[in-house]
Amino acid sequence: MTSTERTESERTDEAEPRPGSMSAGAPLPPKLAPLKPPAPRHGLSRIRLGQWFSAAALVLSIILLASLVLSALALQGNNRARDALIDHVAPAALQHFQLTTALDEQDSAIRAYARYHRRADLTAYREAVVREDRAVATMRRLLADVPEGEPTLEQLARASAATAAWRAQFAVPLAGDGEMTRELNETGRTLFRQATAANSATQRELTQLHGTYDAQLRERARTLYLSLAFTGIVIVLVAIAVVVLIRRTVLGPIGRLSEQVRAVSQGDFAHPLNASGPAELAELAGIVDSMRRRIVEEWRISSEARLLAAEQAAELRRSNAELEQFAYVASHDLQEPLRKVASFCQMLERRYSHALDERGRRYIDFAVDGAKRMQALINDLLMFSRVGRSERPMEPVDLNRTLERTRHDLGQAIEETGARIESDELPVVTGDRTLLGILLQNLVGNAIKFHGDEPPRVRLTVRRSAEQPDMWEFACSDNGIGIAPKYAERIFLIFQRLHPQESYSGTGIGLAMCRKIVEYHGGRIWLETEHTGPGTTFRWTLPVREATAAERQKGTETTEGDESGDE
């Protein structure tokens, strides 16, 4: 198959469409009908979604607020009735009981004093009087703030007056060492019965007042429960109304719009989008529809551009293949005359050296050296252009063996300079064996070539990268002349030399080739600018190789064998 036929077949294969793809060979998008202006909206569809929710929120808020106000009023009335009953009426009834007890104790104590004239009885009488006065004062204070407590207070005043009359006409004369006569005794009994009757009337008033507030408390509690139940019902109804509103104004229209969008996403790009419901959804449908049209138009443009790009890529591949062939032929054809120039110049030197002076021999040396340098430059350029173009598959590469081959290849330079190369245990990586050998040879060779007064000391180290745990980080350090940090980027450019040819030989391609090899393997290479001390340190990264299933199985069997041997 000729080159032209191969190119045509590749172009035909690339133009074949793939099902469901948007590749260059995929069919062009459908033609779209002209865009029609949006139809005018009528009725409730003219209302925007925000207006729907604002009106609904206002109505529901008023209803909910009214129910909450009713509940708050009912709770306030319940609390007022409870406070009056617990904090006023009930304590007043207790004080009345103490009042009645004190009155009975006064009668008993004063009669005992009149009979036996004991000072203890007189003291008990006076203490009972004090307790009575205290109970009366407390009852008046408690019932003063009760709205319906006025009748009870009036009856309490009458009872206090009856008690005061009993003391004035009966108890006080006896307390003043008076004699207990029949008439005084009868008068005391009559007045005491009147005081007791008045206190009983006060007790009835308190009982009636207690019953009134107890009934109010029950009524207010019932009202509170009804208000809370009403509020709960209102909240449930509000929730139902919100759900219905959302379903009718949001979920339903969005569901219909989603079905239309799904139809477009499944390939029906000519399907128009129409949405019913609030104005926002109609606007959204219009925006999505315009976006659909724009995407289809851009798809058409990009498809046409991809078709053109595919044709240009095929043409570029053909041109690159021709250029690569041309480079190979050109390099071969260029090296042949260079070899002739070098060989004939050397023959001239051997045969006619006696006829040439020192300047003539130097000119011949310049010509031979230039031809050899041109030859090396052509070879390096050809190798640089082929980095990454090799069709060799990636394979596991043991860098320890690669370093040993590098030591062998650089044996003469190592022997001449007395160089010493040290290395950590290097890992096995996945890559191109030849390119990785060139990488180590260039870095180690530069470390030996650019040495100082002392013999070269080269050390290779490796560790897991702290920034990228899935990468190995290598380092090549030496004790040579070093590189200034300002040249950290320049040294990786092709043909960039920091020293003249007379001082150090080379083509200026080595580090550029190292960068291209490392980047081809998915890593990066750089000069360590923070290096302290003499020499230079280059660092580069390579991906960590994942062990295959067979290697993992072999490692497991080895571990089990070691454990059984230990046992």
Side-chain angles (χ1 to χ4, degrees), residues 442-443 446-447 449-451 476-493 496-499 504 510-511 525-539:
N442 281 338
L443 292 175
N446 284 348
K449 178 169 63 176
F450 297 98
H451 66 86
C476 180
S477 305
D478 60 62
N479 62 342
I481 61 176
I483 300 175
K486 64 180 180 179
Y487 300 121
E489 288 297 326
R490 177 183 170 186
I491 56 176
F492 292 105
L493 301 179
Q496 295 297 315
R497 298 175 52 87
L498 302 183
H499 306 281
Y504 297 97
L511 288 178
I525 186 172
W526 69 95
L527 173 69
E528 184 175 325
T529 56
E530 299 178 357
H531 176 77
T532 58
T536 304
T537 298
F538 285 96
R539 293 188 178 275

mmCIF file of all heavy atoms in Angstrom, residues 442-443 446-447 449-451 476-493 496-499 504 510-511 525-539:
data_model
loop_
_atom_site.group_PDB
_atom_site.id
_atom_site.type_symbol
_atom_site.label_atom_id
_atom_site.label_comp_id
_atom_site.label_asym_id
_atom_site.label_seq_id
_atom_site.Cartn_x
_atom_site.Cartn_y
_atom_site.Cartn_z
ATOM 1 N N ASN A 442 23.090 11.107 30.247
ATOM 2 C CA ASN A 442 23.290 12.550 30.115
ATOM 3 C C ASN A 442 23.546 13.206 31.465
ATOM 4 O O ASN A 442 24.446 14.036 31.607
ATOM 5 C CB ASN A 442 22.065 13.196 29.461
ATOM 6 C CG ASN A 442 22.059 13.014 27.961
ATOM 7 O OD1 ASN A 442 23.106 12.783 27.350
ATOM 8 N ND2 ASN A 442 20.894 13.107 27.354
ATOM 9 N N LEU A 443 22.734 12.841 32.498
ATOM 10 C CA LEU A 443 22.888 13.479 33.806
ATOM 11 C C LEU A 443 24.215 13.091 34.459
ATOM 12 O O LEU A 443 24.951 13.949 34.965
ATOM 13 C CB LEU A 443 21.716 13.098 34.710
ATOM 14 C CG LEU A 443 20.348 13.674 34.305
ATOM 15 C CD1 LEU A 443 19.246 13.119 35.203
ATOM 16 C CD2 LEU A 443 20.350 15.200 34.380
ATOM 17 N N ASN A 446 27.162 14.599 32.429
ATOM 18 C CA ASN A 446 27.368 16.019 32.721
ATOM 19 C C ASN A 446 28.037 16.211 34.071
ATOM 20 O O ASN A 446 28.879 17.089 34.255
ATOM 21 C CB ASN A 446 26.036 16.760 32.691
ATOM 22 C CG ASN A 446 25.547 17.010 31.282
ATOM 23 O OD1 ASN A 446 26.304 16.835 30.320
ATOM 24 N ND2 ASN A 446 24.290 17.416 31.141
ATOM 25 N N ALA A 447 27.631 15.401 35.066
ATOM 26 C CA ALA A 447 28.238 15.529 36.390
ATOM 27 C C ALA A 447 29.735 15.212 36.336
ATOM 28 O O ALA A 447 30.530 15.826 37.059
ATOM 29 C CB ALA A 447 27.535 14.593 37.375
ATOM 30 N N LYS A 449 31.633 15.455 33.463
ATOM 31 C CA LYS A 449 32.299 16.391 32.554
ATOM 32 C C LYS A 449 32.551 17.741 33.230
ATOM 33 O O LYS A 449 33.647 18.301 33.114
ATOM 34 C CB LYS A 449 31.444 16.561 31.295
ATOM 35 C CG LYS A 449 32.032 17.555 30.302
ATOM 36 C CD LYS A 449 31.309 17.479 28.971
ATOM 37 C CE LYS A 449 29.849 17.866 29.087
ATOM 38 N NZ LYS A 449 29.170 17.890 27.788
ATOM 39 N N PHE A 450 31.539 18.271 33.934
ATOM 40 C CA PHE A 450 31.678 19.593 34.543
ATOM 41 C C PHE A 450 32.191 19.463 35.983
ATOM 42 O O PHE A 450 31.540 19.902 36.935
ATOM 43 C CB PHE A 450 30.334 20.330 34.521
ATOM 44 C CG PHE A 450 29.826 20.611 33.140
ATOM 45 C CD1 PHE A 450 28.877 19.781 32.554
ATOM 46 C CD2 PHE A 450 30.311 21.676 32.408
ATOM 47 C CE1 PHE A 450 28.410 20.032 31.280
ATOM 48 C CE2 PHE A 450 29.841 21.932 31.132
ATOM 49 C CZ PHE A 450 28.894 21.109 30.556
ATOM 50 N N HIS A 451 33.359 18.845 36.147
ATOM 51 C CA HIS A 451 33.910 18.662 37.483
ATOM 52 C C HIS A 451 34.904 19.771 37.790
ATOM 53 O O HIS A 451 35.383 20.494 36.900
ATOM 54 C CB HIS A 451 34.576 17.284 37.597
ATOM 55 C CG HIS A 451 35.790 17.134 36.733
ATOM 56 N ND1 HIS A 451 37.041 17.522 37.135
ATOM 57 C CD2 HIS A 451 35.923 16.644 35.473
ATOM 58 C CE1 HIS A 451 37.912 17.281 36.182
ATOM 59 N NE2 HIS A 451 37.255 16.743 35.142
ATOM 60 N N CYS A 476 20.169 13.705 41.358
ATOM 61 C CA CYS A 476 21.542 13.439 40.919
ATOM 62 C C CYS A 476 22.402 14.609 41.384
ATOM 63 O O CYS A 476 22.250 15.730 40.873
ATOM 64 C CB CYS A 476 21.604 13.274 39.395
ATOM 65 S SG CYS A 476 23.280 12.948 38.770
ATOM 66 N N SER A 477 23.255 14.376 42.370
ATOM 67 C CA SER A 477 24.085 15.424 42.970
ATOM 68 C C SER A 477 25.547 15.176 42.620
ATOM 69 O O SER A 477 25.988 14.027 42.480
ATOM 70 C CB SER A 477 23.909 15.446 44.487
ATOM 71 O OG SER A 477 22.543 15.589 44.830
ATOM 72 N N ASP A 478 26.312 16.274 42.476
ATOM 73 C CA ASP A 478 27.743 16.158 42.195
ATOM 74 C C ASP A 478 28.488 17.253 42.938
ATOM 75 O O ASP A 478 27.881 18.126 43.559
ATOM 76 C CB ASP A 478 28.007 16.227 40.683
ATOM 77 C CG ASP A 478 27.539 17.539 40.075
ATOM 78 O OD1 ASP A 478 28.065 18.590 40.481
ATOM 79 O OD2 ASP A 478 26.652 17.517 39.196
ATOM 80 N N ASN A 479 29.803 17.220 42.865
ATOM 81 C CA ASN A 479 30.667 18.215 43.510
ATOM 82 C C ASN A 479 31.384 19.060 42.477
ATOM 83 O O ASN A 479 32.510 19.512 42.695
ATOM 84 C CB ASN A 479 31.688 17.526 44.419
ATOM 85 C CG ASN A 479 32.613 16.590 43.641
ATOM 86 O OD1 ASN A 479 32.290 16.201 42.515
ATOM 87 N ND2 ASN A 479 33.749 16.232 44.236
ATOM 88 N N GLY A 480 30.708 19.279 41.331
ATOM 89 C CA GLY A 480 31.349 19.978 40.225
ATOM 90 C C GLY A 480 31.317 21.483 40.367
ATOM 91 O O GLY A 480 31.210 22.048 41.470
ATOM 92 N N ILE A 481 31.363 22.173 39.216
ATOM 93 C CA ILE A 481 31.489 23.635 39.204
ATOM 94 C C ILE A 481 30.169 24.322 39.508
ATOM 95 O O ILE A 481 30.140 25.509 39.815
ATOM 96 C CB ILE A 481 32.020 24.106 37.836
ATOM 97 C CG1 ILE A 481 31.040 23.691 36.720
ATOM 98 C CG2 ILE A 481 33.401 23.534 37.578
ATOM 99 C CD1 ILE A 481 31.454 24.199 35.344
ATOM 100 N N GLY A 482 29.037 23.612 39.437
ATOM 101 C CA GLY A 482 27.751 24.178 39.803
ATOM 102 C C GLY A 482 27.135 25.030 38.711
ATOM 103 O O GLY A 482 27.765 25.353 37.690
ATOM 104 N N ILE A 483 25.854 25.410 38.931
ATOM 105 C CA ILE A 483 25.098 26.236 37.986
ATOM 106 C C ILE A 483 24.408 27.331 38.788
ATOM 107 O O ILE A 483 23.784 27.066 39.823
ATOM 108 C CB ILE A 483 24.053 25.412 37.212
ATOM 109 C CG1 ILE A 483 24.742 24.300 36.419
ATOM 110 C CG2 ILE A 483 23.247 26.297 36.277
ATOM 111 C CD1 ILE A 483 23.768 23.357 35.724
ATOM 112 N N ALA A 484 24.508 28.557 38.321
ATOM 113 C CA ALA A 484 23.846 29.673 39.007
ATOM 114 C C ALA A 484 22.327 29.503 38.924
ATOM 115 O O ALA A 484 21.793 29.067 37.891
ATOM 116 C CB ALA A 484 24.265 30.997 38.375
ATOM 117 N N PRO A 485 21.585 29.842 39.997
ATOM 118 C CA PRO A 485 20.116 29.670 39.980
ATOM 119 C C PRO A 485 19.413 30.433 38.873
ATOM 120 O O PRO A 485 18.352 30.024 38.423
ATOM 121 C CB PRO A 485 19.695 30.180 41.371
ATOM 122 C CG PRO A 485 20.911 30.019 42.228
ATOM 123 C CD PRO A 485 22.062 30.273 41.330
ATOM 124 N N LYS A 486 20.006 31.544 38.404
ATOM 125 C CA LYS A 486 19.314 32.325 37.361
ATOM 126 C C LYS A 486 19.247 31.580 36.033
ATOM 127 O O LYS A 486 18.486 31.964 35.136
ATOM 128 C CB LYS A 486 20.008 33.673 37.188
ATOM 129 C CG LYS A 486 21.442 33.565 36.686
ATOM 130 C CD LYS A 486 22.056 34.954 36.549
ATOM 131 C CE LYS A 486 23.502 34.875 36.047
ATOM 132 N NZ LYS A 486 24.093 36.232 35.890
ATOM 133 N N TYR A 487 20.065 30.520 35.877
ATOM 134 C CA TYR A 487 20.041 29.733 34.638
ATOM 135 C C TYR A 487 19.204 28.466 34.785
ATOM 136 O O TYR A 487 19.316 27.556 33.961
ATOM 137 C CB TYR A 487 21.467 29.352 34.223
ATOM 138 C CG TYR A 487 22.364 30.530 33.964
ATOM 139 C CD1 TYR A 487 23.536 30.699 34.706
ATOM 140 C CD2 TYR A 487 22.054 31.476 33.002
ATOM 141 C CE1 TYR A 487 24.378 31.784 34.481
ATOM 142 C CE2 TYR A 487 22.887 32.560 32.764
ATOM 143 C CZ TYR A 487 24.046 32.719 33.516
ATOM 144 O OH TYR A 487 24.857 33.786 33.290
ATOM 145 N N ALA A 488 18.345 28.407 35.833
ATOM 146 C CA ALA A 488 17.612 27.168 36.120
ATOM 147 C C ALA A 488 16.679 26.772 34.988
ATOM 148 O O ALA A 488 16.426 25.577 34.777
ATOM 149 C CB ALA A 488 16.825 27.327 37.422
ATOM 150 N N GLU A 489 16.157 27.705 34.229
ATOM 151 C CA GLU A 489 15.267 27.392 33.109
ATOM 152 C C GLU A 489 16.009 27.384 31.780
ATOM 153 O O GLU A 489 15.700 26.613 30.883
ATOM 154 C CB GLU A 489 14.102 28.391 33.065
ATOM 155 C CG GLU A 489 13.085 28.216 34.167
ATOM 156 C CD GLU A 489 12.392 26.869 34.107
ATOM 157 O OE1 GLU A 489 12.182 26.363 32.982
ATOM 158 O OE2 GLU A 489 12.082 26.301 35.171
ATOM 159 N N ARG A 490 16.974 28.228 31.668
ATOM 160 C CA ARG A 490 17.682 28.361 30.381
ATOM 161 C C ARG A 490 18.405 27.072 30.006
ATOM 162 O O ARG A 490 18.480 26.729 28.820
ATOM 163 C CB ARG A 490 18.666 29.525 30.469
ATOM 164 C CG ARG A 490 19.516 29.706 29.220
ATOM 165 C CD ARG A 490 20.520 30.822 29.407
ATOM 166 N NE ARG A 490 21.493 30.850 28.323
ATOM 167 C CZ ARG A 490 22.550 31.641 28.279
ATOM 168 N NH1 ARG A 490 22.762 32.499 29.276
ATOM 169 N NH2 ARG A 490 23.380 31.592 27.264
ATOM 170 N N ILE A 491 18.938 26.352 31.000
ATOM 171 C CA ILE A 491 19.750 25.181 30.685
ATOM 172 C C ILE A 491 18.942 24.067 30.031
ATOM 173 O O ILE A 491 19.518 23.166 29.416
ATOM 174 C CB ILE A 491 20.436 24.638 31.963
ATOM 175 C CG1 ILE A 491 19.371 24.328 33.031
ATOM 176 C CG2 ILE A 491 21.461 25.618 32.479
ATOM 177 C CD1 ILE A 491 19.951 23.714 34.283
ATOM 178 N N PHE A 492 17.594 24.098 30.174
ATOM 179 C CA PHE A 492 16.769 23.043 29.576
ATOM 180 C C PHE A 492 16.296 23.398 28.165
ATOM 181 O O PHE A 492 15.518 22.654 27.577
ATOM 182 C CB PHE A 492 15.558 22.766 30.468
ATOM 183 C CG PHE A 492 15.910 22.131 31.784
ATOM 184 C CD1 PHE A 492 15.893 22.861 32.954
ATOM 185 C CD2 PHE A 492 16.283 20.803 31.843
ATOM 186 C CE1 PHE A 492 16.221 22.282 34.167
ATOM 187 C CE2 PHE A 492 16.618 20.203 33.047
ATOM 188 C CZ PHE A 492 16.585 20.959 34.218
ATOM 189 N N LEU A 493 16.733 24.538 27.634
ATOM 190 C CA LEU A 493 16.386 24.915 26.267
ATOM 191 C C LEU A 493 17.430 24.369 25.313
ATOM 192 O O LEU A 493 18.628 24.297 25.628
ATOM 193 C CB LEU A 493 16.299 26.444 26.149
ATOM 194 C CG LEU A 493 15.277 27.121 27.062
ATOM 195 C CD1 LEU A 493 15.328 28.626 26.865
ATOM 196 C CD2 LEU A 493 13.872 26.592 26.793
ATOM 197 N N GLN A 496 21.275 25.798 24.276
ATOM 198 C CA GLN A 496 21.676 26.815 25.245
ATOM 199 C C GLN A 496 22.868 26.299 26.044
ATOM 200 O O GLN A 496 22.767 25.345 26.800
ATOM 201 C CB GLN A 496 20.508 27.133 26.191
ATOM 202 C CG GLN A 496 19.314 27.759 25.507
ATOM 203 C CD GLN A 496 19.661 29.113 24.896
ATOM 204 O OE1 GLN A 496 20.321 29.939 25.520
ATOM 205 N NE2 GLN A 496 19.226 29.309 23.667
ATOM 206 N N ARG A 497 24.025 26.960 25.834
ATOM 207 C CA ARG A 497 25.251 26.561 26.512
ATOM 208 C C ARG A 497 25.680 27.682 27.455
ATOM 209 O O ARG A 497 25.532 28.865 27.147
ATOM 210 C CB ARG A 497 26.366 26.296 25.492
ATOM 211 C CG ARG A 497 26.069 25.154 24.526
ATOM 212 C CD ARG A 497 27.176 25.050 23.480
ATOM 213 N NE ARG A 497 28.502 24.981 24.066
ATOM 214 C CZ ARG A 497 29.103 23.847 24.454
ATOM 215 N NH1 ARG A 497 28.486 22.686 24.285
ATOM 216 N NH2 ARG A 497 30.297 23.863 24.995
ATOM 217 N N LEU A 498 26.229 27.292 28.605
ATOM 218 C CA LEU A 498 26.733 28.267 29.568
ATOM 219 C C LEU A 498 28.248 28.428 29.476
ATOM 220 O O LEU A 498 28.806 29.344 30.097
ATOM 221 C CB LEU A 498 26.365 27.840 31.001
ATOM 222 C CG LEU A 498 24.868 27.648 31.291
ATOM 223 C CD1 LEU A 498 24.660 27.289 32.757
ATOM 224 C CD2 LEU A 498 24.088 28.903 30.943
ATOM 225 N N HIS A 499 28.930 27.542 28.724
ATOM 226 C CA HIS A 499 30.391 27.577 28.633
ATOM 227 C C HIS A 499 30.790 27.472 27.164
ATOM 228 O O HIS A 499 30.098 26.837 26.355
ATOM 229 C CB HIS A 499 31.012 26.418 29.426
ATOM 230 C CG HIS A 499 30.546 26.352 30.859
ATOM 231 N ND1 HIS A 499 31.044 27.173 31.839
ATOM 232 C CD2 HIS A 499 29.616 25.569 31.454
ATOM 233 C CE1 HIS A 499 30.448 26.897 32.986
ATOM 234 N NE2 HIS A 499 29.565 25.929 32.778
ATOM 235 N N TYR A 504 34.344 23.219 27.458
ATOM 236 C CA TYR A 504 33.632 21.950 27.639
ATOM 237 C C TYR A 504 32.963 21.592 26.327
ATOM 238 O O TYR A 504 32.236 22.410 25.742
ATOM 239 C CB TYR A 504 32.570 22.060 28.741
ATOM 240 C CG TYR A 504 33.149 22.354 30.112
ATOM 241 C CD1 TYR A 504 33.174 23.654 30.594
ATOM 242 C CD2 TYR A 504 33.673 21.338 30.892
ATOM 243 C CE1 TYR A 504 33.713 23.943 31.840
ATOM 244 C CE2 TYR A 504 34.208 21.607 32.144
ATOM 245 C CZ TYR A 504 34.230 22.913 32.608
ATOM 246 O OH TYR A 504 34.754 23.185 33.835
ATOM 247 N N GLY A 510 21.720 18.075 25.495
ATOM 248 C CA GLY A 510 21.566 17.008 26.497
ATOM 249 C C GLY A 510 20.450 17.255 27.493
ATOM 250 O O GLY A 510 19.562 16.406 27.677
ATOM 251 N N LEU A 511 20.468 18.406 28.182
ATOM 252 C CA LEU A 511 19.438 18.665 29.193
ATOM 253 C C LEU A 511 18.067 18.873 28.556
ATOM 254 O O LEU A 511 17.039 18.518 29.155
ATOM 255 C CB LEU A 511 19.823 19.882 30.036
ATOM 256 C CG LEU A 511 20.988 19.659 31.010
ATOM 257 C CD1 LEU A 511 21.314 20.934 31.758
ATOM 258 C CD2 LEU A 511 20.661 18.541 31.989
ATOM 259 N N ILE A 525 11.384 17.620 35.480
ATOM 260 C CA ILE A 525 12.775 17.715 35.905
ATOM 261 C C ILE A 525 13.095 19.164 36.178
ATOM 262 O O ILE A 525 12.565 20.070 35.503
ATOM 263 C CB ILE A 525 13.716 17.113 34.827
ATOM 264 C CG1 ILE A 525 15.155 17.078 35.344
ATOM 265 C CG2 ILE A 525 13.624 17.880 33.527
ATOM 266 C CD1 ILE A 525 16.116 16.319 34.439
ATOM 267 N N TRP A 526 13.918 19.410 37.200
ATOM 268 C CA TRP A 526 14.257 20.785 37.546
ATOM 269 C C TRP A 526 15.623 20.817 38.235
ATOM 270 O O TRP A 526 16.113 19.812 38.737
ATOM 271 C CB TRP A 526 13.183 21.407 38.425
ATOM 272 C CG TRP A 526 13.086 20.830 39.814
ATOM 273 C CD1 TRP A 526 13.657 21.296 40.945
ATOM 274 C CD2 TRP A 526 12.346 19.665 40.196
ATOM 275 N NE1 TRP A 526 13.339 20.512 42.017
ATOM 276 C CE2 TRP A 526 12.527 19.507 41.588
ATOM 277 C CE3 TRP A 526 11.571 18.726 39.507
ATOM 278 C CZ2 TRP A 526 11.958 18.444 42.293
ATOM 279 C CZ3 TRP A 526 10.991 17.680 40.206
ATOM 280 C CH2 TRP A 526 11.178 17.546 41.584
ATOM 281 N N LEU A 527 16.197 22.024 38.246
ATOM 282 C CA LEU A 527 17.447 22.264 38.966
ATOM 283 C C LEU A 527 17.110 22.723 40.373
ATOM 284 O O LEU A 527 16.290 23.637 40.557
ATOM 285 C CB LEU A 527 18.280 23.330 38.243
ATOM 286 C CG LEU A 527 19.541 23.810 38.975
ATOM 287 C CD1 LEU A 527 20.584 22.709 39.015
ATOM 288 C CD2 LEU A 527 20.104 25.066 38.318
ATOM 289 N N GLU A 528 17.723 22.107 41.367
ATOM 290 C CA GLU A 528 17.464 22.500 42.748
ATOM 291 C C GLU A 528 18.247 23.785 43.028
ATOM 292 O O GLU A 528 19.471 23.783 43.182
ATOM 293 C CB GLU A 528 17.889 21.390 43.713
ATOM 294 C CG GLU A 528 17.548 21.717 45.154
ATOM 295 C CD GLU A 528 17.858 20.566 46.089
ATOM 296 O OE1 GLU A 528 17.681 19.404 45.672
ATOM 297 O OE2 GLU A 528 18.271 20.835 47.223
ATOM 298 N N THR A 529 17.517 24.906 43.101
ATOM 299 C CA THR A 529 18.145 26.214 43.283
ATOM 300 C C THR A 529 18.543 26.463 44.729
ATOM 301 O O THR A 529 19.329 27.376 44.999
ATOM 302 C CB THR A 529 17.190 27.316 42.813
ATOM 303 O OG1 THR A 529 15.944 27.193 43.524
ATOM 304 C CG2 THR A 529 16.911 27.193 41.330
ATOM 305 N N GLU A 530 17.992 25.697 45.692
ATOM 306 C CA GLU A 530 18.330 25.888 47.090
ATOM 307 C C GLU A 530 19.474 24.976 47.525
ATOM 308 O O GLU A 530 19.689 24.761 48.720
ATOM 309 C CB GLU A 530 17.101 25.632 47.971
ATOM 310 C CG GLU A 530 15.941 26.589 47.676
ATOM 311 C CD GLU A 530 14.731 26.286 48.534
ATOM 312 O OE1 GLU A 530 14.787 25.306 49.304
ATOM 313 O OE2 GLU A 530 13.741 27.031 48.429
ATOM 314 N N HIS A 531 20.186 24.440 46.562
ATOM 315 C CA HIS A 531 21.311 23.546 46.866
ATOM 316 C C HIS A 531 22.417 24.315 47.574
ATOM 317 O O HIS A 531 22.809 25.408 47.146
ATOM 318 C CB HIS A 531 21.835 22.937 45.571
ATOM 319 C CG HIS A 531 23.045 22.072 45.756
ATOM 320 N ND1 HIS A 531 22.972 20.800 46.259
ATOM 321 C CD2 HIS A 531 24.357 22.307 45.506
ATOM 322 C CE1 HIS A 531 24.185 20.281 46.315
ATOM 323 N NE2 HIS A 531 25.045 21.177 45.860
ATOM 324 N N THR A 532 22.898 23.788 48.674
ATOM 325 C CA THR A 532 23.990 24.405 49.425
ATOM 326 C C THR A 532 25.266 23.599 49.226
ATOM 327 O O THR A 532 25.238 22.375 49.089
ATOM 328 C CB THR A 532 23.650 24.461 50.928
ATOM 329 O OG1 THR A 532 23.398 23.145 51.395
ATOM 330 C CG2 THR A 532 22.432 25.344 51.160
ATOM 331 N N GLY A 533 26.387 24.314 49.209
ATOM 332 C CA GLY A 533 27.654 23.629 49.012
ATOM 333 C C GLY A 533 28.038 23.588 47.547
ATOM 334 O O GLY A 533 27.324 24.091 46.654
ATOM 335 N N PRO A 534 29.173 22.965 47.248
ATOM 336 C CA PRO A 534 29.635 22.909 45.848
ATOM 337 C C PRO A 534 28.786 21.940 45.025
ATOM 338 O O PRO A 534 28.076 21.091 45.554
ATOM 339 C CB PRO A 534 31.084 22.410 45.982
ATOM 340 C CG PRO A 534 31.080 21.606 47.249
ATOM 341 C CD PRO A 534 30.106 22.303 48.165
ATOM 342 N N GLY A 535 28.887 22.100 43.713
ATOM 343 C CA GLY A 535 28.226 21.155 42.824
ATOM 344 C C GLY A 535 26.802 21.534 42.464
ATOM 345 O O GLY A 535 26.334 22.646 42.712
ATOM 346 N N THR A 536 26.111 20.581 41.859
ATOM 347 C CA THR A 536 24.772 20.783 41.311
ATOM 348 C C THR A 536 23.905 19.594 41.687
ATOM 349 O O THR A 536 24.394 18.466 41.812
ATOM 350 C CB THR A 536 24.842 20.915 39.772
ATOM 351 O OG1 THR A 536 25.736 21.964 39.431
ATOM 352 C CG2 THR A 536 23.473 21.202 39.191
ATOM 353 N N THR A 537 22.608 19.863 41.860
ATOM 354 C CA THR A 537 21.646 18.790 42.112
ATOM 355 C C THR A 537 20.479 18.938 41.146
ATOM 356 O O THR A 537 19.822 19.985 41.114
ATOM 357 C CB THR A 537 21.124 18.833 43.557
ATOM 358 O OG1 THR A 537 22.203 18.632 44.466
ATOM 359 C CG2 THR A 537 20.076 17.744 43.783
ATOM 360 N N PHE A 538 20.276 17.920 40.325
ATOM 361 C CA PHE A 538 19.104 17.845 39.456
ATOM 362 C C PHE A 538 18.099 16.887 40.086
ATOM 363 O O PHE A 538 18.469 15.825 40.597
ATOM 364 C CB PHE A 538 19.479 17.344 38.052
ATOM 365 C CG PHE A 538 20.167 18.373 37.213
ATOM 366 C CD1 PHE A 538 21.544 18.420 37.126
ATOM 367 C CD2 PHE A 538 19.422 19.312 36.526
ATOM 368 C CE1 PHE A 538 22.188 19.370 36.353
ATOM 369 C CE2 PHE A 538 20.049 20.269 35.736
ATOM 370 C CZ PHE A 538 21.438 20.307 35.660
ATOM 371 N N ARG A 539 16.843 17.275 40.042
ATOM 372 C CA ARG A 539 15.768 16.413 40.549
ATOM 373 C C ARG A 539 14.762 16.160 39.436
ATOM 374 O O ARG A 539 14.477 17.060 38.624
ATOM 375 C CB ARG A 539 15.064 17.050 41.748
ATOM 376 C CG ARG A 539 15.958 17.149 42.985
ATOM 377 C CD ARG A 539 15.180 17.594 44.214
ATOM 378 N NE ARG A 539 16.037 17.644 45.383
ATOM 379 C CZ ARG A 539 16.308 16.610 46.157
ATOM 380 N NH1 ARG A 539 15.778 15.431 45.876
ATOM 381 N NH2 ARG A 539 17.110 16.735 47.214
#
